[in-house]
Amino acid sequence: MRVETLVVGPLQTNAYVLLDESSGQAAVVDPGAAGLRISDALSAAGATLKYILTTHGHADHTGGAFDLKSKSGGEYVVGEGDRGQIESPSSSLAAMIPGFANPPSIDNPVFGGEILDLGESRVIVIATPGHTPGSVCYLSEQALFTGDTLFQNSIGRYDLPGGDGDQELRSIRDNLLTLPDQMIVYPGHGPSSTIGEERVNNPFLQGL
Ligand SMILES: [Zn+2]
C-alpha cells in the first residue's frame, strides 16, 4: 500500500491517496478541494477509485468529493454522526467558505469497526467523536488517517457546532493511543507524525 499526500484548498487541507499497488485499487481520504486534480492523478497512475473516505463533515475536507466522485466514481464513506453536516450546507461550513461544493450523497455510512477491502489491503474504520459527532479515523497497515482529531503536537478544535472536547480526548486516549508507537499519523492539516511521537510530545495528551 502506497500513500501520496496532496495539499488542497484555501485551508491547506491534506488529501491522501492510498493505492493498493497489486490491484490498482485506490481510496482517497478527504478530497477537500481539487477533486478534478485528484481524479487526474488517479487516472495517470492507472488506479481505480474504490472509496472516498471522509474523516468528518467539514467543508474543507469534503469540498472536492462531488467532483471526484463525478469523474472517478467510488463509494462515498462518511461517519453516520456527521450526516447532518454533509446533507445540510449551512452546518457543513460550505456556506461560509466560498469555493467549496456541497458533497455527494452518502453511499456508506459508518459507525466504527467496519473493515473495507482495498485490493489486498484493508482499511479499518475507527470511531473518534469529539471534533464532530461523526469524526472517524481510517487505519491501513502502518498508516492512520486522523482528520481533525489528532495533529502533530495538537488536537482538533472542539468549539465548532457539535464539538465536544472531553469526548475528543477520550476518543484519542481509548482508540488512538492504544495503537503501536510506530504507527504513522497522517493528519488533516500539517505534517505527519507517529503515535509514539504524539504520546511523548503532544501537550494536549499529557496526563490522559
Ligand atoms: Zn474539521
Side-chain angles (χ1 to χ4, degrees), residues 113-191:
E114 293 85 354
I115 298 175
L116 308 172
D117 288 325
L118 185 70
E120 292 180 5
S121 305
R122 303 273 180 276
V123 178
I124 300 168
V125 183
I126 301 174
T128 50
H131 176 66
T132 62
S135 281
V136 295
C137 297
Y138 298 97
L139 174 69
S140 187
E141 297 175 6
Q142 287 305 301
L144 176 69
F145 301 91
T146 57
D148 285 0
T149 294
L150 179 62
F151 302 119
Q152 183 194 54
N153 284 329
S154 189
I155 63 170
R157 54 190 293 187
Y158 39 79
D159 57 331
L160 295 168
D164 182 328
D166 291 338
Q167 191 182 36
E168 183 171 342
L169 286 170
R170 271 199 309 277
S171 290
I172 294 169
R173 182 191 67 194
D174 296 345
N175 297 338
L176 300 185
L177 293 183
T178 46
L179 296 168
D181 280 347
Q182 63 271 26
M183 182 69 65
I184 302 170
V185 173
Y186 292 98
H189 304 271

Side-chain angles (χ1 to χ4, degrees), residues 13 48 197 204:
T13 307
T48 305
E197 285 172 35
F204 295 88

Side-chain angles (χ1 to χ4, degrees), residues 56 58 60-61 131 148:
H56 66 290
H58 286 156
D60 57 319
H61 297 256
H131 176 66
D148 285 0

